[in-house]
Amino acid sequence: MIDFLTGDMNVLGIETSCDETSAAIISGGTRVLSSIVLSQIEMHAPYGGVVPEIASRSHVEHLSGVVGEAVKVSGLSWSAIDAVAVTHGPGLASSLLVGLSFAKGLAFSLKKPLCVINHIEAHIYSAFLEGEASRFEDVCPFVALVVSGGHTSLFRVDGKGRYKLLGQTIDDAAGEAFDKGANLLGLGYPGGPVIDRISKNGQRDYVNFPRGRVRAQNLGLMGVDHDLCFSFSGLKTALLYYLKDHPPANEAELASVAASYQEAIIDSLVQRCERAVEDTGVLVVGGGVSLNSRLRERLTEMANRNSVELIMARPRYCGDNAAMIAGLAGAGYGTWGADAMAADAVPNLVLSL
Ligand code: KG4
Ligand code: ZN
């Protein structure tokens, strides 16, 4: 932990790694004084996915206003901000650079330390926001599932900065599987929320879609256990062929195909989590897909059945947000000071020992 860090430090966080422009102020690592998230979804929706050029231009246009709003809502003066924290990877290079350059300039002009944060680590930490500051360390060792549009990974967390990758997707992320599936179903972008919603009216066993397994011989494993890895690309192809032969005739059929597709994704996630958590008995979950109501329900069932302690991010901190960035910095994590000022944007930044 850095020496100037105090328990009630006020950290201004900035997040621009993908398609949310966000700023937040967190006190003492977990107390949220403000959290502003400007989503670009409407700008990307016509293209069926995030367009990097549009994302970075929009960050440039809006970041300064979003930061100003976060300071205003917090009720603090600029001089009460003790540090500036920002995501430096992973994410879209041109989007990361907007937030990183802004944060460097801001920290320099405020004469406050800068902290650069790994976005994946922050998704794990998001489950502890608004809780006790010591909670993250107290529940170690634990297993963390980060499940979003860009990531589907399982980690074992043994303490501060001690992350071991247990498994990950070898092709699409779970969020991508939702988005691509929704596209095939004609449901628009982003797919997760709409599939979640219409699946409530569908039959989950209407179509028996494949639950992608990863073979031990797979070359993409990079030393991790194949049984803890995920594969969603075959599922998407199965949906494509199913729809060619059986185009849904009405809303009820559409809902049942969507519910069956969702269930295949959720089955894969829950089954890997159940296995991964055997050793530690504590599962922490974050990322945009952890907003999914069926995933939350199934993980809760699994945790009750196995007496697992389940710590899920609150819905407002599941998607990309700067509160998790500022919180992680305020808890003493991340890279600080001169090293942070020299840090570059790292689009493929990893989180592992
Ligand atoms: O964490 P996030 O906001 O951004 C990334 O870092 O990727 O996650 C966005 C992803 C999208 O793929 C979106 O479809 C998915 O999260 N998502 C959901 C739900 N809400 C958002 N997936 C399933 N069910 C939801 N309710
Ligand atoms: Zn994210």
Side-chain angles (χ1 to χ4, degrees):
M1 190 164 294
I2 51 162
D3 50 9
F4 53 80
L5 196 69
T6 62
D8 54 0
M9 187 177 189
N10 298 318
V11 180
L12 166 64
I14 292 174
E15 156 63 41
T16 62
S17 67
C18 190
D19 61 340
E20 268 86 22
T21 312
S22 180
I25 297 184
I26 306 291
S27 177
T30 57
R31 207 153 61 82
V32 183
L33 303 186
S34 63
S35 174
I36 310 293
V37 181
L38 185 71
S39 169
Q40 302 176 355
I41 278 178
E42 281 174 16
M43 283 177 235
H44 301 289
Y47 305 95
V50 176
V51 182
E53 183 69 21
I54 294 178
S56 58
R57 281 170 188 254
S58 180
H59 290 312
V60 169
E61 201 175 326
H62 297 291
L63 181 56
S64 153
V66 167
V67 168
E69 184 69 10
V71 175
K72 193 169 132 203
V73 171
S74 75
L76 298 181
S77 62
W78 284 99
S79 60
I81 291 164
D82 299 306
V84 178
V86 63
T87 308
H88 78 120
L92 300 170
S94 51
S95 288
L96 288 165
L97 275 172
V98 177
L100 185 61
S101 319
F102 187 98
K104 283 182 180 178
L106 186 62
F108 186 77
S109 67
L110 292 175
K111 300 190 175 56
K112 300 292 174 173
L114 178 73
C115 173
V116 293
I117 290 285
N118 181 314
H119 182 84
I120 310 283
E121 188 177 11
H123 269 305
I124 298 174
Y125 187 80
S126 68
F128 299 92
L129 284 171
E130 295 182 12
E132 292 299 313
S134 63
R135 191 106 165 89
F136 189 102
E137 304 264 338
D138 288 350
V139 295
C140 284
F142 61 81
V143 165
L145 171 71
V146 178
V147 64
S148 70
H151 311 279
T152 302
S153 308
L154 279 164
F155 297 93
R156 180 185 160 107
V157 183
D158 278 296
K160 181 174 178 249
R162 293 167 60 204
Y163 303 93
K164 182 175 187 292
L165 181 68
L166 298 176
Q168 63 187 339
T169 179
I170 58 156
D171 41 58
D172 293 342
E176 265 179 295
F178 273 104
D179 294 339
K180 290 176 177 175
N183 186 29
L184 294 172
L185 290 161
L187 295 172
Y189 175 85
V194 54
I195 289 187
D196 189 357
R197 195 181 66 246
I198 72 165
S199 292
K200 294 192 170 114
N201 306 320
Q203 274 173 250
R204 295 190 285 263
D205 57 358
Y206 188 73
V207 188
N208 185 18
F209 284 118
R211 274 59 176 160
R213 302 206 69 92
V214 180
R215 292 189 313 169
Q217 301 85 338
N218 193 292
L219 294 176
L221 289 179
M222 315 232 270
V224 295
D225 182 352
H226 67 104
D227 274 337
L228 296 179
C229 287
F230 308 87
S231 170
F232 296 110
S233 65
L235 170 64
K236 177 192 62 193
T237 310
L239 175 63
L240 175 73
Y241 284 111
Y242 178 85
L243 291 172
K244 274 195 175 147
D245 294 339
H246 313 88
N250 51 46
E251 292 291 305
E253 270 183 36
L254 180 68
S256 292
V257 178
S260 305
Y261 182 80
Q262 169 174 275
E263 204 64 8
I265 300 174
I266 306 290
D267 264 350
S268 297
L269 294 171
V270 175
Q271 192 256 336
R272 272 37 156 215
C273 286
E274 185 160 11
R275 195 173 159 198
V277 81
E278 276 169 12
D279 287 347
T280 65
V282 184
L283 179 65
V284 171
V285 186
V289 177
S290 62
L291 266 175
N292 184 273
S293 55
R294 180 69 181 150
L295 177 62
R296 293 178 92 89
E297 183 179 278
R298 289 280 310 276
L299 284 175
T300 306
E301 271 169 29
M302 184 280 287
N304 291 341
R305 196 169 58 245
N306 297 292
S307 302
V308 161
E309 183 181 358
L310 176 64
I311 306 171
M312 289 190 280
R314 286 176 167 76
R316 58 186 165 280
Y317 305 124
C318 286
D320 287 348
N321 66 88
M324 65 187 191
I325 307 301
L328 191 59
Y333 294 68
T335 302
W336 285 82
D339 287 345
M341 275 297 193
D344 212 341
V346 188
N348 55 357
L349 187 66
V350 292
L351 179 67
S352 215
L353 287 176

